[in-house]
Amino acid sequence: MSVRARIGVFTATRAEYGLLRPVLSAMEASARLEPVLIVSGTHLSERHGRTLSEIEADGRKPAALVPVPLAGNAPADVAADMAAVLAGLGAAVPGLRLDALMVLGDRTEVLAAAAAGVPFGLPILHLEGGHRTTGAVDDAIRHAVTKLSALHFTAAEPYRQRILQLGEAGDRVFTVGSTAVETIRAARTDRATVARMLEADLEPGFLLVTFHPETLAAMSPADQVAAFLGGLGTVRDRKLVITRPNADVGSDAVRAALDAFAAERPDQVLLNESLGAARYAAALTACDAVVGNSSSGVIEAPIAGVPSVNVGGRQDGRIKPPSVVDCANTPSVVAEALARALDPAFAETARSQPAPFGEGGAARLIVETLEQTTFCGLARKSFVDRP
């Protein structure tokens, strides 16, 4: 019997786990790969919804838990959280007997996890690289993780080309599409089903809202969220399902403003710490529009054929399908963008747009590539100079 390659799969947030779920399922079905789940970050935080419970509800038992302080959201706090991931994963790796370490995206915890694998000579496998998000520190983190990584799996060809510009070899960078396609297809449902999931009345319709601090903006997080809510508050004819932000720098100011906004509109606003990956995906497929500055508004919403309003510069640089309405973060402009996104003709455009991030099967393509990969020595790579 052949020995299965042990692939560490690191997850620290609800959104990241949602994108990793199809890959985990495909690896679990593989005769050549064995996923080794490493859970950290807000998954382990009661304040942030302790979404470890969702992972366990999927029937998955983590091989390692890497707790972080999450004591605050000042820059020093985030740096301390990164240090905890680096130290915690460094302590866990020797006992996990890994052949490679998989990470997804661009968060601070992901950079720390990738860095922890480097001293052990572990090949880093990076999903969702090559994006640009010029309004957030995530942009620099994503490219740093690219340079730490041995293999790259991208959601679209322009993202592959950007990774090649960073000096990566062409035979190590694969355009597979987004795993969100599988997630959204599996989650697609109707408003009544989501209402039962959330135990809430969602008639006559609802918006799905997430707002994170724009960490490189000149405006303070408190002013950012105040401007955003000034525009969102013009919506009176449907429910607002709001999820609180990630544990980013400045997130406490956003959380406080959302709490006050929800208290002013108890019959309209459903404020949640986290819906979890499965419920969030279901809600996204059934809502009237996705609103805020989360990546789900420019990735998952277009995949679902749902209009989205992308506020401010946090997602600047990403591919924006026609269903995405970009707008500046001022109350009047946000209100105008909402009116456009909620126009029935625009909603029809969103439903009929071409598939922006592949037709599905990204997880299968990733696993098929890994099944044919020799991991010993893979961490050693060249830098390809390009004209």
Side-chain angles (χ1 to χ4, degrees):
M1 180 182 293
S2 62
V3 177
R4 298 167 76 195
R6 290 173 61 84
I7 311 299
V9 182
F10 177 84
T11 177
T13 71
R14 63 202 185 197
E16 173 192 73
Y17 177 67
L19 292 172
L20 285 168
R21 286 173 89 196
V23 185
L24 286 165
S25 295
M27 278 201 281
E28 287 159 355
S30 171
R32 300 181 183 178
L33 305 174
E34 180 181 356
V36 180
L37 191 58
I38 304 164
V39 175
S40 185
T42 55
H43 286 308
L44 308 180
S45 168
E46 295 292 348
R47 185 189 183 204
H48 296 88
R50 193 172 171 79
T51 44
L52 171 62
S53 60
E54 180 179 12
I55 295 172
E56 293 172 334
D58 283 345
R60 297 190 170 105
K61 182 178 180 180
L65 301 178
V66 180
V68 297
L70 293 173
N73 64 109
D77 297 319
V78 175
D81 294 340
M82 294 175 70
V85 172
L86 186 60
L89 193 53
V93 162
L96 296 176
R97 298 177 290 107
L98 301 179
D99 295 291
L101 176 65
M102 177 179 289
V103 298
L104 183 147
D106 47 33
R107 288 192 51 78
T108 51
E109 306 95 336
V110 166
L111 176 57
V118 170
F120 296 96
L122 283 175
I124 308 301
L125 318 174
H126 189 207
L127 279 59
E128 296 286 354
H131 297 240
R132 290 296 316 277
T133 51
T134 59
V137 296
D138 301 6
D139 199 53
I141 290 170
R142 187 184 310 106
H143 301 323
V145 175
T146 289
K147 294 312 300 176
L148 293 173
S149 298
L151 292 182
H152 315 270
F153 299 94
T154 72
E157 184 60 23
Y159 297 152
R160 178 178 185 270
Q161 293 302 317
R162 190 169 287 135
I163 289 175
L164 297 181
Q165 285 181 265
L166 291 169
E168 299 301 291
D171 61 354
R172 289 177 176 240
V173 190
F174 306 90
T175 299
V176 296
S178 176
T179 58
V181 177
E182 290 113 298
T183 298
I184 293 301
R185 285 180 177 172
R188 190 174 292 280
T189 188
D190 55 26
R191 186 191 307 154
T193 300
V194 175
R196 288 193 293 272
M197 287 180 175
L198 302 185
E199 298 180 347
D201 176 11
L202 297 179
E203 297 298 334
F206 71 100
L207 304 182
L208 185 59
V209 182
T210 308
F211 190 86
H212 302 293
E214 188 177 321
T215 49
L216 291 182
M219 187 186 299
S220 72
D223 289 342
Q224 292 171 34
V225 69
F228 170 65
L229 292 176
L232 182 66
T234 62
V235 176
R236 293 284 186 177
D237 62 344
R238 63 200 77 207
K239 301 297 175 62
L240 305 175
V241 177
I242 304 177
T243 58
R244 290 190 176 92
N246 291 328
D248 293 331
V249 172
S251 60
D252 278 355
V254 176
R255 295 169 72 91
L258 293 177
D259 288 345
F261 183 77
E264 293 168 359
R265 300 172 177 233
D267 295 329
Q268 184 189 18
V269 175
L270 287 79
L271 181 59
N272 301 268
E273 186 59 56
S274 170
L275 294 180
R279 293 199 305 170
Y280 185 87
L284 186 145
T285 69
C287 68
D288 299 322
V290 174
V291 183
N293 60 9
S294 168
S295 61
S296 64
V298 296
I299 300 175
E300 283 92 337
I303 289 170
V306 171
S308 60
V309 174
N310 177 56
V311 178
R314 191 172 189 269
Q315 302 298 334
D316 282 357
R318 289 199 200 263
I319 293 171
K320 306 281 184 59
S323 59
V324 179
V325 181
D326 275 325
C327 70
N329 189 13
T330 64
S332 61
V333 176
V334 171
E336 291 170 4
L338 283 164
R340 180 183 173 197
L342 294 173
D343 181 88
F346 189 84
E348 180 56 36
T349 298
R351 283 191 293 270
S352 60
Q353 69 185 355
F357 300 111
E359 298 288 348
R364 173 181 53 80
L365 292 172
I366 292 167
V367 167
E368 286 177 355
T369 300
L370 296 180
E371 287 176 333
Q372 299 169 31
T373 296
T374 299
F375 294 102
C376 183
L378 186 64
R380 183 173 182 174
K381 64 178 189 176
S382 60
F383 189 102
V384 180
D385 292 306
R386 301 186 186 278

